[in-house]
Amino acid sequence: MDVLNTLRETFLDWDAMRAALPDLLRVGLVNTLILALSSAVIGTLLGMLLAVAGLSSRRWLRWPARVYTDVFRGLPAAVTILLIGVGLSPLGLRIWGPNPYPLGILALSLIASAYIGEIFRSGIQSVDRGQLEAARALGFSRTSGMRLVVIPQGVRRVLPALVNQFIALVKESSLVYFLGLLASQRDLFRIGQDAAANSGNQSALLLAGLFYLLITVPLTHVVNAVDRRLREGRKADGAHGGGDPDDDDSLPATVAVPQEA
């Protein structure tokens, strides 16, 4: 019983949870979503550029994209955040003052772009070459054929993987606290950690963890639903003989991201 009481006092102090709840809702949740969404948008744009550059026939485009991807996928997220946040802080001071928030978003965006670039590249490469050849036969240039025909099909195939990457960004946003955010910029983890340190137990940190679960668990089910819908759609197209020429059941709806660029 002593052990159970100790666990209850350590993790289920309702007074400590109630005290931390307003800050978790008004400040932590908002900042976590801002960090994740901002880095997801920037990372997606950069990732598409990396994917196109990585598939280019020009070495001066292809090799820098591959090196960039290897570096930012190989470094731990904490190391990247510290290198960007601390190393570029003098530049940040000149542009926006003593505010590490933009540098945190930049670091997360660079990390995300490396992974998203590989997701897009694998999706584009999974599209049958005949799609581009058919577009060229219809009068499209190679660039137009890639932009209007091949890339949309590749993106559709990797939607579940993109949602998975957003889930990873939500969790990695907790590492931005390394940069010393202002009180109004604290994310869920930082608020939970501060409240736990002040109260002497981990109840507030457990509550912060529950907020992360409320974000990530529904998104996980969204990934599964999208993946299932794509698979069922591909099977239906195959059964009726319609759809794109490359819609073959032998090709998975979700493309696995290769571990090596």
Side-chain angles (χ1 to χ4, degrees):
M1 293 299 294
D2 290 339
V3 174
L4 292 178
N5 287 332
T6 300
L7 290 175
R8 181 179 60 80
E9 293 172 358
T10 302
F11 296 105
L12 296 175
D13 186 330
W14 304 113
D15 291 334
M17 288 185 175
R18 279 194 296 269
L21 183 60
D23 281 343
L24 287 171
L25 281 172
R26 292 197 305 263
V27 180
L29 181 60
V30 172
N31 285 323
T32 294
L33 292 177
I34 289 175
L35 285 169
L37 289 171
S38 299
S39 55
V41 171
I42 299 173
T44 299
L45 296 176
L46 292 177
M48 180 57 73
L49 293 177
L50 282 173
V52 174
L55 293 171
S56 174
S57 59
R58 299 178 176 86
R59 289 187 177 182
W60 63 272
L61 281 176
R62 186 173 68 252
W63 283 107
R66 298 291 177 85
V67 171
Y68 176 99
T69 300
D70 286 342
V71 169
F72 283 100
R73 290 178 69 197
L75 287 174
V79 173
T80 301
I81 290 171
L82 285 174
L83 286 175
I84 298 297
V86 177
L88 297 182
S89 58
L91 179 62
L93 285 172
R94 297 178 183 176
I95 299 175
W96 51 69
N99 182 1
Y101 206 76
L103 291 177
I105 293 175
L106 174 62
L108 289 174
S109 300
L110 295 178
I111 296 169
S113 65
Y115 288 94
I116 293 174
E118 283 298 279
I119 291 172
F120 281 143
R121 185 165 73 92
S122 62
I124 293 170
Q125 286 181 319
S126 73
V127 177
D128 189 87
R129 289 180 177 272
Q131 294 291 299
L132 182 59
E133 294 173 359
R136 295 295 299 276
L138 292 174
F140 288 90
S141 65
R142 176 180 172 82
T143 301
S144 298
M146 288 290 294
R147 181 170 57 88
L148 299 175
V149 178
V150 177
I151 290 178
Q153 293 184 59
V155 170
R156 185 187 65 180
R157 295 183 177 193
V158 298
L159 282 177
L162 290 175
V163 179
N164 272 329
Q165 184 57 42
F166 178 72
I167 293 173
L169 278 173
V170 171
K171 294 183 288 185
E172 288 175 351
S173 66
S174 63
L175 299 175
V176 176
Y177 88 95
F178 288 146
L179 304 182
L181 298 175
L182 303 176
S184 61
Q185 298 172 332
R186 294 177 300 166
D187 64 331
L188 288 169
F189 170 72
R190 186 61 181 178
I191 290 176
Q193 184 187 48
D194 289 345
N198 293 332
S199 63
N201 64 63
Q202 305 302 308
S203 301
L205 191 57
L206 175 63
L207 183 59
L210 293 177
F211 273 97
Y212 281 108
L213 290 177
L214 288 174
I215 299 172
T216 58
V217 171
L219 285 175
T220 301
H221 289 290
V222 168
V223 170
N224 295 333
V226 170
D227 189 31
R228 184 168 57 251
R229 185 70 174 270
L230 288 174
R231 290 180 184 275
E232 291 174 352
R234 293 171 68 81
K235 289 180 180 179
D237 287 342
H240 291 87
D244 297 324
D246 69 313
D247 279 346
D248 189 285
D249 289 339
S250 63
L251 290 175
T254 304
V255 180
V257 181
Q259 293 301 312
E260 295 183 2

